[in-house]
Amino acid sequence: MSLIRRNEPLDPVDLAAELIRRPSVTPKDEGAIPYLAGVLERLGFTCHTQEFTEPGTEPVLNLYARIGTGGRNLCFAGHTDVVPPGDLEAWSIAPFAGKIEGDALYGRGAADMKGAIACFAAATARFLAERGPGFDGSISLLITGDEEGVSINGTKKLLDWLAARGEMLDACIVGEPTNAKVLGDMVKIGRRGSMNGYLTVQGVQGHTAYPHLADNAAHRLVAMLHALTSAPLDEGTAHFQPSTLQIATIDIGNTAANVIPGAARATFNIRFNDRWSSATLKDWLRRTLDTAGGRYTLDFHVSGESFLTPPGEVSELLTRAVERVTGRKPELSTTGGTSDARFIHRYCPLAEFGLVGLTMHKVDERASLADIAGLTDIYHTVLDLYFPAS
Ligand SMILES: [Zn+2]
């Protein structure tokens, strides 16, 4: 692992700390994107700050920054918004202080993913300092402030805006904290899909002493949930874990022990692999519930379809860079939650690689200084490999 270099054109730890000090709890920006745009402009980027909104949502700031006008366009993608810090008292260092303690930078977003954005910028700064702005290619940053929230006014709209301008991306690296334990252990090449189901079962209310005059919704719900959970959804696929269905809550709210409930509700979440789409899952759910019998309504919220970007140029590029810098051969994985890669993969080949995810969304989120230096080296190596010096 390389040591932290001073005399860099841009220090990634300083930049990450500055970003952490702007408390951009989703969907607020609090100056994070304008600050980043200022840094990138000083490096020579042309920056387009885009605010998107629609009825019922808060406006969100987004940024597309590009340096270079020709050649292949390598895009670094990520988000400046962060999840709320939760109980402030529980943090050993204030979550928006952007402070170093021991060998780590602490703060909300240090790992997910202001740290990686700082590494994007620092790696590019080093590459430009070495190669000059006249290299044959383009480097861009696609940054949203709406990844941790509803993701309506973020990457999706920014990609539409790029398409409308005829702006092409040739390859993309998403800087989510993909590593499970140590820097270099995991590159993500796809994600499982995620869907919530909201099931309401209708019965007939009645007296528990006269069950023949009622239809117990609780019994029907239990039978339906048993049908949904009694067998695995699948055994997994070449690049994916088995799909899973987890019941999140069962709600009847009946306060009387002598009343048969007339309605019963449950919410469940399904994480699904590339054997399924949300449409085929909906079919399977309805068929399975119909077999169990009873009247019900079933509503859905699909937060993302599963997708796979088969191992290829970008994952190979990242693997080579990771091996060169860390000596580790990263696993190509599709585990974990979803990310904005679910939108970008339709535009260009991509893979995801960032910091270590152990503390993301937790109290005392942090990134080790060595990892920030190492990730900067990895992104810099990616740039060198993608744009070979002629
Ligand atoms: Zn993230």
Side-chain angles (χ1 to χ4, degrees):
M1 184 71 64
S2 57
L3 295 169
I4 299 159
R5 293 172 220 201
R6 292 296 161 182
N7 305 321
E8 287 279 9
L10 180 64
D11 184 334
V13 175
D14 287 347
L15 175 53
E18 287 293 343
L19 293 173
I20 289 168
R21 287 179 201 128
R22 289 159 176 83
S24 47
V25 174
T26 195
K28 302 232 178 306
D29 176 72
E30 303 292 355
I33 279 187
Y35 182 82
L36 177 63
V39 168
L40 294 173
E41 270 166 6
R42 282 194 290 283
L43 293 176
F45 278 82
T46 303
C47 291
H48 304 272
T49 304
Q50 293 291 313
E51 187 179 81
F52 298 124
T53 189
E54 62 181 64
T57 64
E58 283 187 59
V60 175
L61 269 190
N62 299 273
L63 172 67
Y64 178 69
R66 176 172 174 159
I67 188 163
T69 51
R72 299 197 292 174
N73 183 7
L74 176 66
C75 178
F76 290 114
H79 61 91
T80 47
D81 61 328
V82 296
V83 295
D87 179 11
L88 296 178
E89 299 297 310
W91 287 71
S92 43
I93 293 184
F96 301 112
K99 268 178 140 170
I100 295 170
E101 177 76 27
D103 61 358
L105 173 66
Y106 279 69
R108 179 57 86 225
D112 186 12
M113 55 164 281
K114 288 172 168 175
I117 290 175
C119 298
F120 292 161
T124 306
R126 194 191 301 166
F127 177 82
L128 294 171
E130 288 169 3
R131 297 276 290 273
F135 72 102
D136 180 26
S138 302
I139 303 168
S140 54
L141 270 74
L142 182 88
I143 306 292
T144 180
D146 187 20
E147 196 274 342
E148 298 287 8
V150 288
S151 305
I152 290 172
N153 295 313
T155 297
K156 207 163 172 252
K157 287 190 176 157
L158 200 52
L159 288 166
D160 290 344
W161 178 83
L162 289 187
R165 286 170 53 92
E167 184 85 19
M168 304 289 284
L169 308 177
D170 293 289
C172 180
I173 291 169
V174 179
E176 289 289 346
T178 50
N179 296 286
K181 291 200 177 90
V182 291
L183 188 72
D185 67 14
M186 194 174 282
V187 166
K188 298 222 169 157
I189 55 166
R191 298 280 187 151
R192 291 177 298 173
S194 179
M195 178 168 98
N196 293 337
Y198 304 92
L199 173 64
T200 302
V201 179
Q202 285 98 24
V204 176
Q205 199 186 40
H207 197 302
T208 51
Y210 302 90
H212 55 288
L213 299 178
D215 179 5
N216 194 323
H219 294 189
R220 292 205 177 271
L221 180 67
V222 167
M224 286 182 187
L225 295 179
H226 179 70
L228 295 181
T229 54
S230 55
L233 282 163
D234 57 61
E235 303 296 324
T237 63
H239 293 285
F240 283 88
Q241 304 168 282
S243 305
T244 58
L245 184 154
Q246 291 298 310
I247 296 166
T249 182
I250 296 173
D251 305 295
I252 298 176
N254 184 4
T255 54
N258 60 350
V259 173
I260 290 171
R265 291 175 191 84
T267 300
F268 53 87
N269 176 253
I270 302 178
R271 299 289 164 138
F272 55 97
N273 61 36
D274 57 345
R275 252 211 68 200
W276 301 90
S277 66
S278 61
T280 60
L281 268 174
K282 287 174 186 176
D283 283 350
W284 175 80
L285 286 164
R286 290 203 182 92
R287 275 202 316 276
T288 307
L289 294 176
D290 289 346
T291 307
R295 288 181 300 137
Y296 66 90
T297 56
L298 184 58
D299 296 315
F300 303 101
H301 175 74
V302 179
S303 41
E305 298 288 343
S306 67
F307 67 89
L308 176 72
T309 52
E313 186 185 11
V314 185
S315 57
E316 278 162 25
L317 197 63
L318 270 169
T319 299
R320 282 173 65 198
V322 167
E323 280 186 299
R324 196 177 283 184
V325 173
T326 69
R328 293 186 188 96
K329 187 175 169 62
E331 179 191 345
L332 302 183
S333 167
T334 56
T335 53
T338 193
S339 80
D340 275 359
R342 70 189 188 273
F343 304 124
I344 307 169
H345 81 101
R346 298 193 200 107
Y347 285 74
C348 66
L350 68 79
E352 298 181 69
F353 186 80
L355 288 164
V356 175
L358 280 174
T359 61
M360 61 181 171
H361 294 208
K362 293 188 180 175
V363 159
D364 282 346
E365 180 176 347
R366 59 195 175 274
S368 88
L369 304 185
D371 283 356
I372 293 174
L375 184 59
T376 303
D377 285 349
I378 289 167
Y379 291 153
H380 176 236
T381 305
V382 163
L383 290 170
D384 269 341
L385 292 171
Y386 194 74
F387 300 111
S390 46

